[in-house]
Amino acid sequence: MEMRVLENEQLKVSISDFGAELSSVYDKEKDQERLWDANPTVWNRHAPILFPFVGKVNGGVYRIGEQTYEMKTQHGFARDMEFECVEQTKTSVKHRLLPTEETRRIYPYEYELLVTHTLDADNPRLLRISWEVKNNGREEMLYSIGGHPAFTLPVSSKEEKEAYYLEFPGRDELTYIGVNPENGLAAVSQEKTLKLENGFVKFYDDIYDTLIFDEQRIEKVRIAGPDRTPYVTMDCHEFPYLGIWAKETGNFICLEPWAGRTDNDGFTGTLEEKTGEQKLEPGCSATVSHTIEFHKQ
């Protein structure tokens, strides 16, 4: 697999052709890797792109109208495919993914996915990630898309990790749902409230799972240090959903912007009825973007 490198005076960013996955963000000034290293004994990915599904479909099957399709993998298939690099400069790279005979059997649409990573011209610590989805077919296309970046914390123990904060600027509280650990589907009947103190909440044990923030249009989410100074900030205001996930055994936290999400637990409807599903008319395209700022902290 080939790695595409973007670089400025502060950051050196590497994106793989496989999955168009952001694979490294090396902070030159801090002499520190800011992205999870994909240690296979903990979690073997860095920042996969979730397309054309976010999460799982109930039972590994879904329906479009009367037609049934299999989708046995979580988060679709784009993360496990080779993309074509179609454009690259010193500070920007664009990848493209098109259908194959194999993808048409499990996802019948004539999609085109363009993924662009760009280092900001004004803020050398800011990375922009854009996803453009095109419908090159003759019928309405249904899809979800999302990100799953894992940010490494400079800690060596669970106790040090739990000294960090999550910050939701401007919010006093949020509601969230988790997932059924037996099947990975959204436990919508078990909504909880996340109480915030001036936007902050201490990292805590419940986050060793998936927190799903539904339709709350969270504009920014931040990982902050024990002294509450910013560590990583994600601007995700274009996305209706946000996921947060971590593992007890890894020194990382995932901040996940989503347009769409996993099936509700027990859902048996069609893809047209699925919560959060995106719709795209023939010949049309849709673009969503988010930014990640790697602070100097």
Side-chain angles (χ1 to χ4, degrees):
M1 82 188 83
E2 186 159 357
M3 204 69 69
R4 311 290 172 169
V5 176
L6 311 178
E7 195 166 359
N8 60 26
E9 65 271 27
Q10 295 285 328
L11 301 177
K12 182 178 180 180
V13 176
S14 301
I15 302 101
S16 175
D17 286 354
F18 188 76
E21 183 177 5
L22 179 65
S23 300
S24 172
V25 178
Y26 175 69
D27 189 326
K28 295 180 179 181
E29 184 173 345
K30 294 174 66 67
D31 188 24
Q32 178 184 321
E33 176 60 50
R34 305 294 295 268
L35 210 63
W36 173 243
D37 65 3
N39 181 342
T41 65
V42 180
W43 186 57
N44 65 342
R45 300 182 188 269
H46 307 279
I49 295 169
L50 319 179
F51 176 86
F53 289 92
V54 172
K56 293 183 177 180
V57 295
N58 190 14
V61 297
Y62 68 97
R63 287 188 296 117
I64 301 173
E66 298 300 316
Q67 184 67 43
T68 299
Y69 298 89
E70 289 191 347
M71 184 59 63
K72 298 300 185 183
T73 56
Q74 181 172 248
H75 299 316
F77 48 74
R79 64 182 185 167
D80 295 316
M81 296 187 70
E82 191 82 11
F83 281 63
E84 176 190 8
C85 180
V86 294
E87 184 180 311
Q88 184 175 2
T89 68
K90 185 177 180 180
T91 57
S92 180
V93 63
K94 180 182 290 187
H95 284 90
R96 178 170 62 193
L97 184 68
L98 295 171
T100 66
E101 290 306 311
E102 180 181 357
T103 66
R104 290 185 180 100
R105 286 194 294 271
I106 58 175
Y107 182 69
Y109 299 112
E110 292 299 310
Y111 65 87
E112 181 176 350
L113 174 60
L114 294 165
V115 177
T116 305
H117 292 82
T118 306
L119 284 170
D120 190 77
D122 298 318
N123 181 351
R125 290 188 162 272
L126 190 73
L127 178 68
R128 178 176 298 277
I129 303 168
S130 296
W131 302 315
E132 181 181 6
V133 180
K134 295 183 179 181
N135 181 0
N136 295 331
R138 297 181 179 179
E139 59 183 351
E140 181 183 69
M141 188 172 86
L142 300 165
Y143 71 96
S144 296
I145 191 166
H148 201 315
F151 303 105
T152 294
L153 306 181
V155 301
S156 57
S157 69
K158 176 183 173 183
E159 290 72 26
E160 288 181 318
K161 180 179 177 180
E162 291 179 349
Y164 275 69
Y165 287 85
L166 296 173
E167 183 186 1
F168 301 87
R171 309 301 283 261
D172 294 321
E173 68 175 34
L174 294 164
T175 58
Y176 70 93
I177 55 176
V179 297
N180 182 338
E182 295 182 1
N183 56 24
L185 303 180
V188 292
S189 64
Q190 301 176 31
E191 184 178 87
K192 299 179 181 180
T193 298
L194 188 66
K195 294 290 187 180
L196 305 171
E197 179 189 337
N198 296 320
F200 288 90
V201 63
K202 197 75 168 288
F203 192 87
Y204 62 107
D205 285 343
D206 284 358
I207 296 176
Y208 296 129
D209 196 345
T210 303
L211 306 188
I212 301 172
F213 298 90
D214 264 359
E215 293 285 2
Q216 293 175 78
R217 289 290 174 181
I218 295 169
E219 294 190 1
K220 290 185 179 181
V221 59
R222 178 176 295 133
I223 300 170
D227 60 357
R228 301 195 180 192
T229 57
Y231 181 68
V232 170
T233 298
M234 177 179 288
D235 185 320
C236 52
H237 72 273
E238 296 184 15
F239 292 83
Y241 302 92
L242 175 71
I244 294 179
W245 178 73
K247 293 193 73 171
E248 187 170 1
T249 52
N251 63 328
F252 65 85
I253 301 173
C254 293
L255 307 178
E256 307 181 32
W258 297 340
R261 65 161 173 78
T262 191
D263 276 1
N264 290 336
D265 197 6
F267 176 71
T268 58
T270 66
L271 202 57
E272 295 91 332
E273 300 166 323
K274 176 181 168 71
T275 296
E277 202 65 7
Q278 307 298 299
K279 299 178 180 180
L280 198 55
E281 294 300 317
C284 293
S285 67
T287 301
V288 287
S289 302
H290 61 287
T291 64
I292 305 168
E293 183 172 4
F294 299 88
H295 298 279
K296 290 184 179 182
Q297 186 213 44

